Tab-separated table of all heavy atoms in Angstrom:
chain	number	residue	atom	x	y	z
A	10	PRO	N	129.548	88.516	75.628
A	10	PRO	CA	129.781	88.758	77.062
A	10	PRO	C	128.793	89.691	77.754
A	10	PRO	O	128.923	89.926	78.952
A	10	PRO	CB	131.176	89.396	77.063
A	10	PRO	CG	131.257	90.118	75.761
A	10	PRO	CD	130.432	89.327	74.772
A	11	PHE	N	127.820	90.238	77.012
A	11	PHE	CA	126.987	91.307	77.602
A	11	PHE	C	125.806	90.752	78.412
A	11	PHE	O	125.157	89.792	78.008
A	11	PHE	CB	126.459	92.215	76.491
A	11	PHE	CG	127.555	92.761	75.629
A	11	PHE	CD1	127.791	92.252	74.365
A	11	PHE	CD2	128.384	93.772	76.107
A	11	PHE	CE1	128.827	92.743	73.579
A	11	PHE	CE2	129.425	94.271	75.330
A	11	PHE	CZ	129.642	93.746	74.062
A	12	CYS	N	125.537	91.407	79.552
A	12	CYS	CA	124.363	91.063	80.379
A	12	CYS	C	123.707	92.351	80.857
A	12	CYS	O	124.400	93.340	81.091
A	12	CYS	CB	124.784	90.266	81.611
A	12	CYS	SG	125.316	88.609	81.229
A	13	LYS	N	122.392	92.320	81.047
A	13	LYS	CA	121.651	93.510	81.516
A	13	LYS	C	121.980	93.832	82.965
A	13	LYS	O	121.958	94.986	83.384
A	13	LYS	CB	120.137	93.258	81.366
A	13	LYS	CG	119.582	93.829	80.074
A	13	LYS	CD	119.146	95.274	80.272
A	13	LYS	CE	119.160	96.163	79.085
A	13	LYS	NZ	118.528	96.067	77.924
A	14	SER	N	122.269	92.801	83.771
A	14	SER	CA	122.726	93.027	85.144
A	14	SER	C	123.600	91.831	85.513
A	14	SER	O	123.592	90.823	84.798
A	14	SER	CB	121.536	93.159	86.105
A	14	SER	OG	120.694	92.046	85.967
A	15	ILE	N	124.336	91.962	86.587
A	15	ILE	CA	125.267	90.883	86.952
A	15	ILE	C	124.695	90.099	88.137
A	15	ILE	O	124.451	90.660	89.207
A	15	ILE	CB	126.667	91.451	87.306
A	15	ILE	CG1	127.207	92.308	86.148
A	15	ILE	CG2	127.645	90.340	87.668
A	15	ILE	CD1	127.405	91.623	84.817
A	16	CYS	N	124.487	88.814	87.939
A	16	CYS	CA	123.907	87.973	89.001
A	16	CYS	C	124.944	87.781	90.117
A	16	CYS	O	126.138	87.626	89.827
A	16	CYS	CB	123.501	86.627	88.430
A	16	CYS	SG	122.381	86.788	87.026
A	17	PRO	N	124.498	87.755	91.366
A	17	PRO	CA	125.462	87.756	92.479
A	17	PRO	C	126.294	86.476	92.607
A	17	PRO	O	127.266	86.453	93.360
A	17	PRO	CB	124.570	87.938	93.719
A	17	PRO	CG	123.195	87.588	93.283
A	17	PRO	CD	123.105	87.878	91.825
A	18	TYR	N	125.943	85.410	91.906
A	18	TYR	CA	126.727	84.175	91.984
A	18	TYR	C	127.676	84.034	90.793
A	18	TYR	O	128.446	83.083	90.711
A	18	TYR	CB	125.803	82.939	92.027
A	18	TYR	CG	124.873	82.843	90.838
A	18	TYR	CD1	125.251	82.151	89.703
A	18	TYR	CD2	123.625	83.463	90.852
A	18	TYR	CE1	124.404	82.073	88.599
A	18	TYR	CE2	122.779	83.392	89.765
A	18	TYR	CZ	123.181	82.692	88.645
A	18	TYR	OH	122.352	82.624	87.567
A	19	CYS	N	127.628	84.998	89.858
A	19	CYS	CA	128.277	84.789	88.570
A	19	CYS	C	129.743	85.176	88.562
A	19	CYS	O	130.112	86.277	88.972
A	19	CYS	CB	127.541	85.598	87.506
A	19	CYS	SG	128.261	85.376	85.877
A	20	ASP	N	130.556	84.252	88.047
A	20	ASP	CA	131.972	84.543	87.880
A	20	ASP	C	132.397	84.244	86.435
A	20	ASP	O	133.538	83.935	86.152
A	20	ASP	CB	132.783	83.692	88.873
A	20	ASP	CG	134.243	84.095	88.901
A	20	ASP	OD1	134.530	85.277	88.672
A	20	ASP	OD2	135.099	83.211	89.115
A	21	PHE	N	131.412	84.253	85.520
A	21	PHE	CA	131.737	84.004	84.113
A	21	PHE	C	132.375	85.255	83.524
A	21	PHE	O	132.416	86.314	84.158
A	21	PHE	CB	130.467	83.689	83.294
A	21	PHE	CG	129.671	82.538	83.810
A	21	PHE	CD1	128.274	82.591	83.831
A	21	PHE	CD2	130.292	81.379	84.261
A	21	PHE	CE1	127.529	81.529	84.305
A	21	PHE	CE2	129.551	80.309	84.730
A	21	PHE	CZ	128.163	80.389	84.755
A	22	CYS	N	132.778	85.138	82.282
A	22	CYS	CA	133.283	86.316	81.577
A	22	CYS	C	132.070	87.095	81.061
A	22	CYS	O	131.440	86.699	80.091
A	22	CYS	CB	134.175	85.862	80.424
A	22	CYS	SG	134.710	87.238	79.428
A	23	ARG	N	131.690	88.120	81.757
A	23	ARG	CA	130.496	88.904	81.392
A	23	ARG	C	130.715	90.352	81.775
A	23	ARG	O	131.548	90.684	82.617
A	23	ARG	CB	129.229	88.329	82.037
A	23	ARG	CG	129.056	88.623	83.524
A	23	ARG	CD	130.097	87.993	84.378
A	23	ARG	NE	129.958	88.126	85.785
A	23	ARG	CZ	130.687	88.926	86.557
A	23	ARG	NH1	131.548	89.758	86.035
A	23	ARG	NH2	130.544	88.914	87.858
A	62	GLY	N	127.086	82.816	76.721
A	62	GLY	CA	127.370	84.124	77.297
A	62	GLY	C	127.652	84.056	78.777
A	62	GLY	O	127.936	82.995	79.308
A	63	GLY	N	127.470	85.237	79.377
A	63	GLY	CA	126.744	86.418	78.942
A	63	GLY	C	125.282	86.073	78.564
A	63	GLY	O	124.746	85.054	78.959
A	64	THR	N	124.729	86.965	77.815
A	64	THR	CA	123.344	86.814	77.379
A	64	THR	C	123.269	87.069	75.867
A	64	THR	O	123.028	88.214	75.449
A	64	THR	CB	122.433	87.818	78.132
A	64	THR	OG1	122.673	87.719	79.539
A	64	THR	CG2	120.960	87.554	77.866
A	93	GLU	N	122.109	80.433	73.793
A	93	GLU	CA	121.704	80.562	75.201
A	93	GLU	C	120.842	81.810	75.321
A	93	GLU	O	121.217	82.873	74.815
A	93	GLU	CB	122.936	80.735	76.090
A	93	GLU	CG	123.682	79.455	76.354
A	93	GLU	CD	124.903	79.673	77.239
A	93	GLU	OE1	125.133	80.812	77.703
A	93	GLU	OE2	125.633	78.705	77.448
A	95	ASN	N	118.185	84.248	77.931
A	95	ASN	CA	117.524	84.557	79.205
A	95	ASN	C	116.072	84.891	78.898
A	95	ASN	O	115.793	85.644	77.946
A	95	ASN	CB	118.211	85.719	79.909
A	95	ASN	CG	119.484	85.267	80.603
A	95	ASN	OD1	119.717	84.068	80.745
A	95	ASN	ND2	120.301	86.203	81.017
A	97	GLU	N	113.743	86.830	79.994
A	97	GLU	CA	113.199	88.201	79.943
A	97	GLU	C	113.570	88.928	78.651
A	97	GLU	O	112.945	89.916	78.294
A	97	GLU	CB	113.651	89.014	81.162
A	97	GLU	CG	115.098	89.474	81.167
A	97	GLU	CD	116.098	88.403	81.600
A	97	GLU	OE1	115.690	87.260	81.847
A	97	GLU	OE2	117.307	88.735	81.683
A	120	GLN	N	117.078	78.525	85.886
A	120	GLN	CA	117.651	78.438	87.260
A	120	GLN	C	116.635	78.017	88.317
A	120	GLN	O	116.934	77.184	89.160
A	120	GLN	CB	118.345	79.737	87.711
A	120	GLN	CG	119.182	80.454	86.651
A	120	GLN	CD	120.147	79.575	85.886
A	120	GLN	OE1	120.400	78.438	86.259
A	120	GLN	NE2	120.685	80.068	84.775
A	130	LEU	N	118.541	85.109	93.525
A	130	LEU	CA	119.642	84.826	92.590
A	130	LEU	C	119.970	86.032	91.711
A	130	LEU	O	120.866	85.967	90.868
A	130	LEU	CB	119.268	83.642	91.679
A	130	LEU	CG	119.273	82.257	92.323
A	130	LEU	CD1	118.648	81.227	91.375
A	130	LEU	CD2	120.702	81.832	92.682
A	131	GLY	N	119.193	87.100	91.899
A	131	GLY	CA	119.438	88.323	91.123
A	131	GLY	C	118.989	88.215	89.681
A	131	GLY	O	119.438	88.980	88.823
A	132	ARG	N	118.124	87.247	89.400
A	132	ARG	CA	117.670	87.075	88.011
A	132	ARG	C	116.577	88.095	87.693
A	132	ARG	O	115.855	88.546	88.578
A	132	ARG	CB	117.141	85.647	87.791
A	132	ARG	CG	118.133	84.562	88.134
A	132	ARG	CD	119.345	84.558	87.254
A	132	ARG	NE	119.028	84.424	85.855
A	132	ARG	CZ	119.871	83.944	84.943
A	132	ARG	NH1	121.093	83.576	85.284
A	132	ARG	NH2	119.513	83.865	83.688
B	401	SF4	S1	122.865	86.279	83.133
B	401	SF4	FE1	124.327	84.571	83.233
B	401	SF4	S2	126.274	85.387	82.479
B	401	SF4	FE2	124.929	87.139	82.950
B	401	SF4	S3	125.475	87.730	85.002
B	401	SF4	FE3	123.742	86.313	85.188
B	401	SF4	S4	124.661	84.286	85.404
B	401	SF4	FE4	126.281	85.679	84.693
Side-chain angles (χ1 to χ4, degrees):
F11 306 104
C12 289
K13 264 271 153 59
S14 54
I15 305 299
C16 305
Y18 58 91
C19 181
D20 189 31
F21 304 140
C22 175
R23 76 295 185 254
T64 309
E93 282 180 3
N95 281 348
E97 74 280 3
Q120 320 311 348
L130 287 170
R132 304 295 303 204

